[in-house]
Amino acid sequence: MTITPPALSVFETLESEVRSYCRGWPAVFDRAQGARLTDEDGHSYLDFFAGAGSLNYGHNNPVLKRALIDYIERDGITHGLDMATTAKRAFLETFQNVILRPRDLPYKVMFPGPTGTNAVESALKLARKVKGRESVVSFTNAFHGMSLGSLAVTGNAFKRAGAGIPLVHGTPMPFDNYFDGTVPDFLWFERLLEDQGSGLNKPAAVIVETVQGEGGINVARAEWLRALKELCERQDMLLIVDDIQMGCGRTGGFFSFEEAGIVPDIVTLSKSISGYGLPMSLCLFKPELDIWEPGEHNGTFRGNNPAFVTAAAALDAYWADGQMEKQTQARGEQVEQALLAICAEEPTAQFRGRGLVWGMEFQDPARASAVCARAFELGLLLETSGPQSEVVKLLPPLTVTTDELDEGLRTLARCVRETA
């Protein structure tokens, strides 16, 4: 199947030039279910993008859709600010019983606003408030959001330039394996912290992604994360794990840091926490950090009750029995074997990943975009990532079937061959 792009008319004439994904996927989408989208002309697309990780349970998941429809039909609260509602209570109780207690995590739950960058902004604000310091350390190739505070701890030069003003109070440090193993972990970071002449202001916190999604699928080793946690404890800094894209089961465990055996001080969640693609985010933190005054951080849409309904349904359906983690690990092994075979035929490519997030990097950065363009023509949605868009990013729904996964991986292999 080869797809001919439609005339986009009003999208090109009225919508801002800032639009992005629609340029790589020039179709007018109309319906979606599971791991597939359908455009208005009836063409079907296999989705290895999953709403940038916000659709871990697929499009229009029937279990979540039923819960949402039932709630709307009984005139359940839609907009509730931070008022107490039955939907919020059900979500909080489910989150505590299914996620927090089984993992012995002591976190308080904050609803900071509907998006990931809202969660990051609240985490940064809280860390600075608790420690009384302004500086926050982030890592090379990090991505934490598009609002000013989040951009200040984001590495991508193109995205940072969009701010239009200086981005302050953020200091980058090398991510795991940034120097290809030639420099001991945290040598530079710790030297700066201990040297009174380094010019580094004492940080309030360190913010990190365990797997950098937008940065190129850079996977931090468990031992590196443990060493980072120990460094933060020694130096009186809070550790913030940004689990917005890699949380909610993307790497296997519900939280991506579980494998490393660490307990961050603050955790941000968004994207798939609602389960249905509805805007929702959380900032989780240890109880002793809960020094907020009432209303000190708020937002009009922090009480998206339909999202609470689908979030609770997703936790009940997929996380109460431990099967989702096992299935994701099995699907991840299927992807790894396919990528091994592709890279055996293509010496200019290498791959890396965990669970159901994988990246294939090409020596020629333009090759990744060519692969994704050809994939679209063949009915497969793939995204690039990395500072030069040199990585093909695989982010299928966690509910993808083995047959769908095999179909997408075979299409990817074909695209790599045809763009050589």
Side-chain angles (χ1 to χ4, degrees):
M1 175 183 68
T2 299
I3 295 164
T4 303
L8 297 183
S9 60
V10 71
F11 304 107
E12 295 177 336
T13 59
L14 187 60
E15 191 179 1
S16 166
E17 292 299 319
V18 79
R19 65 190 188 279
S20 173
Y21 294 116
C22 58
R23 298 179 188 274
W25 302 327
V28 180
F29 296 103
D30 182 50
R31 291 170 288 117
Q33 208 287 317
R36 295 187 187 274
L37 293 91
T38 305
D39 69 19
E40 63 181 354
D41 296 321
H43 299 127
S44 177
Y45 303 78
L46 186 57
D47 187 3
F48 274 26
F49 177 64
S54 62
L55 294 165
N56 280 3
Y57 312 107
H59 296 268
N60 286 301
N61 182 288
V63 175
L64 312 190
K65 180 166 64 175
R66 184 72 264 160
L68 179 59
I69 290 172
D70 289 347
Y71 183 75
I72 292 171
E73 286 186 336
R74 73 168 184 81
D75 293 329
I77 298 292
T78 295
H79 180 274
L81 296 167
D82 68 355
M83 296 184 293
T85 66
T86 55
K88 184 198 282 190
R89 180 174 60 200
F91 167 73
L92 285 170
E93 290 175 348
T94 304
F95 190 68
Q96 184 176 49
N97 293 332
V98 175
I99 301 300
L100 297 182
R101 279 181 178 157
R103 292 162 179 79
D104 198 25
L105 294 173
Y107 296 132
K108 296 290 288 292
V109 178
M110 175 183 177
F111 300 98
T115 72
T117 199
N118 292 142
V120 170
E121 294 285 358
S122 67
L124 299 176
K125 185 189 290 188
L126 179 60
R128 288 167 171 143
K129 179 178 174 66
V130 168
K131 292 300 182 183
R133 309 178 206 134
E134 297 177 351
S135 177
V136 172
V137 165
S138 57
F139 291 95
T140 50
N141 290 312
F143 178 79
H144 296 291
M146 297 296 280
S147 51
L148 292 180
S150 302
L151 274 178
V153 290
T154 287
N156 186 283
F158 173 76
K159 292 180 173 65
R160 289 175 63 88
I165 62 172
L167 297 171
V168 297
H169 309 309
T171 303
M173 290 291 165
F175 190 71
D176 191 14
N177 204 38
Y178 188 72
F179 294 108
D180 300 319
T182 61
V183 177
D185 295 338
F186 308 115
L187 176 66
W188 174 242
F189 190 2
E190 200 147 19
R191 184 74 57 85
L192 290 178
L193 288 169
E194 294 173 353
D195 182 0
Q196 295 299 306
S198 70
L200 175 66
N201 293 329
K202 180 79 171 182
V206 175
I207 185 167
V208 67
E209 303 155 273
T210 67
V211 181
Q212 295 181 327
E214 300 304 309
I217 317 302
N218 305 311
V219 182
R221 294 167 297 143
E223 55 266 34
W224 186 86
L225 292 168
R226 287 192 289 269
L228 176 60
K229 175 60 175 170
E230 292 167 4
L231 174 61
C232 288
E233 291 174 349
R234 287 198 309 274
Q235 296 288 348
D236 187 34
M237 303 179 296
L238 297 177
L239 178 62
I240 305 169
V241 168
D242 181 342
D243 236 2
I244 287 166
Q245 188 167 88
M246 298 304 157
C248 303
R250 177 55 56 180
T251 65
F254 185 84
F255 295 104
S256 70
F257 55 80
E258 291 180 46
E259 181 188 46
I262 62 172
V263 178
D265 300 293
I266 303 175
V267 180
T268 59
L269 288 175
S270 187
K271 291 196 182 286
S272 274
I273 187 60
S274 82
Y276 203 74
L278 299 176
M280 178 179 172
S281 73
L282 304 177
C283 185
L284 313 176
F285 39 81
K286 293 180 177 178
E288 61 268 25
L289 305 181
D290 193 9
I291 63 170
W292 293 113
E293 295 291 333
E296 194 172 11
H297 186 95
N298 58 26
T300 303
F301 294 101
R302 65 195 182 278
N304 186 357
N305 281 253
F308 298 157
V309 170
T310 55
L315 298 180
D316 273 332
Y318 294 103
W319 292 98
D321 61 4
Q323 291 306 304
M324 176 58 74
E325 182 172 354
K326 294 177 183 177
Q327 177 177 300
T328 298
Q329 291 169 344
R331 300 285 195 273
E333 291 171 4
Q334 183 180 349
V335 175
E336 184 174 15
Q337 292 305 309
L339 295 181
L340 271 170
I342 294 172
C343 288
E345 295 182 6
E346 178 49 74
T348 68
Q350 58 180 349
F351 70 92
R352 50 190 177 263
R354 275 180 60 196
L356 272 177
V357 53
W358 293 84
M360 177 176 288
E361 181 178 355
F362 293 90
Q363 290 178 5
D364 176 8
R367 182 81 176 281
S369 295
V371 167
C372 290
R374 181 58 179 146
F376 172 79
E377 293 174 349
L378 298 174
L380 175 66
L381 301 184
L382 291 171
E383 181 192 19
T384 61
S385 67
Q388 301 179 77
S389 298
E390 74 277 19
V391 177
V392 173
K393 181 179 181 181
L394 281 68
L395 209 68
L398 305 185
T399 52
V400 68
T401 67
T402 55
D403 288 344
E404 289 168 333
L405 202 51
D406 183 62
E407 176 189 339
L409 292 167
R410 283 188 281 106
T411 301
L412 173 62
R414 175 180 171 182
C415 295
V416 172
R417 289 194 300 270
E418 291 183 357
T419 57

